[in-house]
Amino acid sequence: MRTHYCTDLNEENVGQEVVLTGWANSYRDHGGIIFIDLRDKTGLIQLTCDPEDSLDAHRVADGVRDEYVLIAKGVVRLRGEGLTNPKLKTGAIEIIVKELKIENKSAATPFVIGDSSVGEETRLKYRYLELRDPSMYETFRLRSKAAIAARNTLDANGFLEVETPILTKSTPEGARDYLVPSRVHSGEFYALPQSPQLFKQLLMVGGFDRYFQIAKCFRDEDLRADRQPEFTQIDVEMSFCDQEDVIKVAEDLLQAMFKACNIEVNTPFNRITYNDAMELYGSDKPDMRYDLKMVDVIDIFERCDNEIFTKIAKKPHTNRIKALKVPGADLVFSKREMKGFEDFVREFGAGGLGYFQMKEDGLKGPLTKFFGEDDINLIIARTELQVGDVIFFGAGDKKTVWDYMGRLRNYIAEHEKMNLADPDAYEFVWVVDFPMFEIEDGRVKALHHPFTQPKDTDKDDIEDIESIAYDIVLNGTELGGGSIRIHKQDVQEEVFKLLGIDEEEAAEKFGFLLDALKFGAPPHGGFALGFDRIMMLISKKSSIRDVIAFPKTQRASCVLTKAPSAVDNNQLRDLHIRLRDKPLK
């Protein structure tokens, strides 16, 4: 039907007869000559409909309106001196239309294609219209290229693509499951997989050696910019490997995906331990594009004359007092703005936020009166203060201090007066040596998942047990991670015991995995990468909703199809379900 896409044409095609198809992006009548910007997936080109060239084409053009579907036949011509449009890839040429056909008309659209000011609810309700924007097509072209590169790279490294079940068993760890009622088994439910974790381990037991899958996963959790109820991950598992083997595969994979999107990244990536990430950056996904580090000053504060600080400082195992130096902050931030930083951290559990300013005549600030001259000099030396710098102090229990000081670090770095994060930089970092367990509300939980291999379980404090786990972080966003798995039944049972899962519960919920480990399970490990998050960063979008063709809103609804929706009583009856406020008839 067409001979070319719009932006395939250039000055070399002048004089050629072509047939183009697409949508009318705009329409202009200039004294009897009608100009139409024709748009297809590649971009725009100008159609010129002059009655001297074709009365019939001009008559048809007079009836064209925005978003009409057109088929145009004509000859490529240079626009001429002074008439070019440098904003368009095809701005040096135009099509002199000989034949024009309105293939289909369009109702008035609720927004102009490409208008980024339109509210998200409207854009998602008419997502198929938003997708007409060539910039959207470019996003999904990159996504396709990255997916193909991932498959090709893993295939070249001996990995086999295997699909795992979507209807599976609900397990107690992680986020809430999406449940699917069974019509055949009254009162019983399938769960949609949060990840293919158990199945990929079973594939290793089955001797497949190297597996991958670009898998759909589902989690019923509170949403934000980098979360969706259904998302895509690149899932990889391999046998007879150690952490270094797995990391090498992951780095090769990421390098190939970014290269397919015309971004060169260098390997190997930097590494940092979980403990250093928390102590220095207050986050297990630190943004390494800027060098703002927290410094431990709890020993200095233990000697100060402020009882609040000294009380905190007497428990260095569970508490922290951290200093965050911000170079040049005293020269750009007002006292009101620095008071705003305190209001910010209070939202995340901080009792307050102290700060010192480094002036020409020394350290200034309301807290200096609590310190002797030697300790003032020690603070200056330890934090390497220069004139114009500010140091902010956070004090309290370590997890709370890590959290709000880490958030403050990012908040200040991204402030319009600082702009420390280079938008064109790609700073990868592996976070390794994660704790195996964490305690929440008095309950022991697996920090990653209960199938992670611990380094050893012989520690006095359960939170000191480390695991062979690793996360990959890019510009402060966790792309994914993985671990070496437990492949021996006795170790898995010991971990279940530490998690408070007794033999009966373990057998009920994970019996099939425990059974499999009896039959010569090989050492194995792997990783999973959030494909949507990767594409969000590659295409420089602010939300993964922008890189998913038909995403859900932050309330986990689809405004396009109006899902979720009510179903009729016959369907509920077949599934043996009765709604509390809607009895079956």
Side-chain angles (χ1 to χ4, degrees):
M1 190 174 285
R2 65 166 75 89
T3 61
H4 300 78
Y5 287 104
C6 290
T7 65
D8 288 346
L9 300 173
N10 54 44
E11 293 91 328
E12 294 180 2
N13 301 104
V14 169
Q16 290 183 16
E17 185 174 84
V18 298
V19 179
L20 303 178
T21 62
W23 288 264
N25 193 70
S26 63
Y27 166 97
R28 306 177 300 282
D29 189 338
H30 289 184
I33 299 177
I34 296 172
F35 297 96
I36 299 169
D37 283 343
L38 186 71
R39 186 192 71 245
D40 63 16
K41 68 178 184 178
T42 66
L44 303 177
I45 195 168
Q46 179 174 284
L47 306 181
T48 300
C49 301
D50 189 331
E52 293 189 5
D53 295 311
S54 172
L55 280 172
D56 286 342
H58 184 269
R59 177 184 54 78
V60 174
D62 192 47
V64 170
R65 296 297 178 266
D66 288 355
E67 298 308 307
Y68 277 25
V69 180
L70 305 178
I71 301 175
K73 184 176 182 180
V75 176
V76 182
R77 183 177 75 180
L78 290 173
R79 288 199 189 189
E81 187 176 350
L83 300 176
T84 60
N85 184 349
K87 295 181 179 179
L88 292 182
K89 186 177 179 181
T90 58
I93 59 173
E94 61 186 350
I95 306 300
I96 304 304
V97 179
K98 303 297 185 183
E99 299 176 20
L100 184 65
K101 179 181 179 182
I102 297 176
E103 179 62 30
N104 207 355
K105 295 182 178 181
S106 171
T109 57
F111 56 86
V112 176
I113 305 302
D115 183 357
S116 60
S117 67
V118 179
E120 186 179 66
E121 286 279 325
T122 301
R123 288 190 291 109
L124 293 184
K125 182 178 180 180
Y126 299 97
R127 182 67 160 182
Y128 45 84
L129 294 179
E130 186 181 25
L131 292 174
R132 289 183 185 176
D133 184 348
S135 69
M136 292 291 287
Y137 177 82
E138 176 62 16
T139 296
F140 288 95
R141 186 189 71 83
L142 288 176
R143 185 176 174 121
S144 176
K145 292 286 187 183
I148 291 169
R151 282 194 164 93
N152 289 343
T153 301
L154 291 168
D155 176 69
N157 281 280
F159 287 84
L160 187 68
E161 185 169 11
V162 183
E163 295 178 348
T164 54
I166 293 296
L167 295 177
T168 184
K169 182 180 177 65
S170 180
T171 57
E173 297 297 325
R176 288 183 295 272
D177 289 325
Y178 278 102
L179 300 178
V180 180
S182 171
R183 178 183 60 82
V184 177
H185 303 281
S186 174
E188 297 183 346
F189 296 81
Y190 301 102
L192 302 182
Q194 295 187 32
S195 80
Q197 180 63 48
L198 298 177
F199 289 106
K200 65 183 180 182
Q201 288 193 248
L202 294 176
L203 287 170
M204 297 304 100
V205 177
F208 274 44
D209 192 68
R210 291 191 164 201
Y211 138 95
F212 84 94
Q213 181 182 189
I214 300 181
K216 274 289 187 184
C217 303
F218 308 84
R219 292 180 187 173
D220 185 5
E221 58 187 349
D222 295 332
L223 303 184
R224 57 192 186 199
D226 60 353
R227 283 183 180 172
Q228 278 278 286
E230 55 178 315
F231 58 95
T232 305
Q233 72 180 33
I234 303 175
D235 204 50
V236 179
E237 196 79 2
M238 50 198 291
S239 295
F240 300 104
C241 62
D242 57 22
Q243 177 174 288
E244 296 305 313
D245 298 324
V246 177
I247 284 178
K248 177 66 166 60
V249 170
E251 290 184 347
D252 288 348
L253 175 59
L254 285 165
Q255 187 177 48
M257 291 173 66
F258 275 71
K259 185 175 182 179
C261 298
N262 300 313
I263 299 170
E264 295 291 337
V265 297
N266 296 319
T267 58
F269 302 150
N270 291 326
R271 298 189 194 185
I272 188 172
T273 66
Y274 170 86
N275 187 67
D276 284 348
M278 300 307 295
E279 295 286 2
L280 296 175
Y281 304 107
S283 173
D284 60 0
K285 45 183 184 294
D287 192 331
M288 307 298 282
R289 288 176 295 174
Y290 39 88
D291 188 31
L292 297 182
K293 293 187 179 74
M294 297 190 301
V295 177
D296 204 332
V297 291
I298 195 167
D299 58 318
I300 303 175
F301 274 69
E302 188 178 10
R303 298 188 294 271
C304 77
D305 295 330
N306 184 300
E307 186 178 349
I308 294 175
F309 289 123
T310 56
K311 187 176 180 180
I312 291 170
K314 286 177 181 177
K315 297 181 179 179
H317 181 66
T318 57
N319 294 339
R320 292 291 185 273
I321 300 179
K322 289 289 187 179
L324 177 68
K325 182 186 78 169
V326 183
D330 192 40
L331 305 177
V332 296
F333 292 124
S334 66
K335 287 188 176 181
R336 176 178 292 183
E337 286 172 318
M338 287 195 277
K339 177 62 171 65
F341 297 153
E342 180 177 0
D343 296 336
F344 172 78
V345 297
R346 284 185 185 276
E347 295 178 20
F348 304 101
L353 183 70
Y355 65 88
F356 291 161
Q357 298 155 286
M358 191 63 186
K359 304 287 189 178
E360 290 281 358
D361 56 346
L363 203 60
K364 305 296 180 182
L367 294 180
T368 55
K369 63 185 178 183
F370 298 114
F371 295 88
E373 184 178 350
D374 288 345
D375 282 338
I376 290 288
N377 290 331
L378 184 55
I379 289 172
I380 293 172
R382 187 173 296 181
T383 58
E384 300 179 354
L385 284 176
Q386 301 292 324
V387 174
D389 296 346
V390 174
I391 47 173
F392 296 93
F393 296 99
D397 74 88
K398 66 180 181 182
K399 289 186 178 180
T400 303
V401 170
W402 284 342
D403 181 54
Y404 73 72
M405 290 298 283
R407 292 176 186 271
L408 177 66
R409 173 182 181 265
N410 294 338
Y411 185 69
I412 291 175
E414 294 166 6
H415 194 283
E416 62 183 0
K417 289 186 175 181
M418 298 298 289
N419 284 324
L420 298 181
D422 182 352
D424 295 320
Y426 292 92
E427 290 291 340
F428 291 88
V429 63
W430 284 104
V431 181
V432 298
D433 299 340
F434 277 84
M436 179 71 190
F437 303 103
E438 61 180 343
I439 297 177
E440 283 190 3
D441 301 323
R443 179 171 171 255
V444 178
K445 296 178 61 178
L447 189 65
H448 275 77
H449 56 66
F451 317 109
T452 302
Q453 177 74 47
K455 289 189 175 180
D456 67 74
T457 56
D458 187 22
K459 296 281 186 180
D460 293 333
D461 187 338
I462 195 170
E463 290 189 287
D464 289 338
I465 298 173
E466 290 185 352
S467 63
I468 309 176
Y470 32 85
D471 282 356
I472 182 65
V473 176
L474 173 59
N475 294 355
T477 296
E478 179 192 330
L479 297 184
S483 66
I484 300 300
R485 323 301 187 188
I486 296 170
H487 68 285
K488 294 184 178 180
Q489 183 188 12
D490 59 338
V491 178
Q492 186 66 75
E493 289 174 342
E494 176 67 17
V495 168
F496 283 154
K497 193 179 299 181
L498 291 169
L499 289 169
I501 300 174
D502 60 30
E503 290 185 18
E504 184 178 347
E505 184 181 2
E508 177 188 350
K509 294 176 176 175
F510 305 106
F512 59 96
L513 176 63
L514 295 175
D515 283 345
L517 296 181
K518 297 176 184 176
F519 296 103
H524 60 282
F527 61 90
L529 299 175
F531 189 33
D532 309 304
R533 290 185 183 182
I534 291 172
M535 297 315 304
M536 177 184 74
L537 293 174
I538 284 177
S539 55
K540 299 186 185 300
K541 302 295 185 182
S542 59
S543 167
I544 64 170
R545 293 190 293 279
D546 295 326
V547 298
I548 297 173
F550 299 101
K552 305 291 190 295
T553 67
Q554 283 197 300
R555 297 189 63 195
S557 64
C558 174
V559 292
L560 173 64
T561 62
K562 295 181 171 60
S565 61
V567 298
D568 64 42
N569 283 341
N570 289 333
Q571 288 177 280
L572 293 175
R573 185 177 289 107
D574 286 344
L575 295 170
H576 318 287
I577 291 175
R578 176 180 287 114
L579 302 181
R580 287 181 178 179
D581 59 347
K582 187 179 178 182
L584 293 176
K585 297 179 180 178

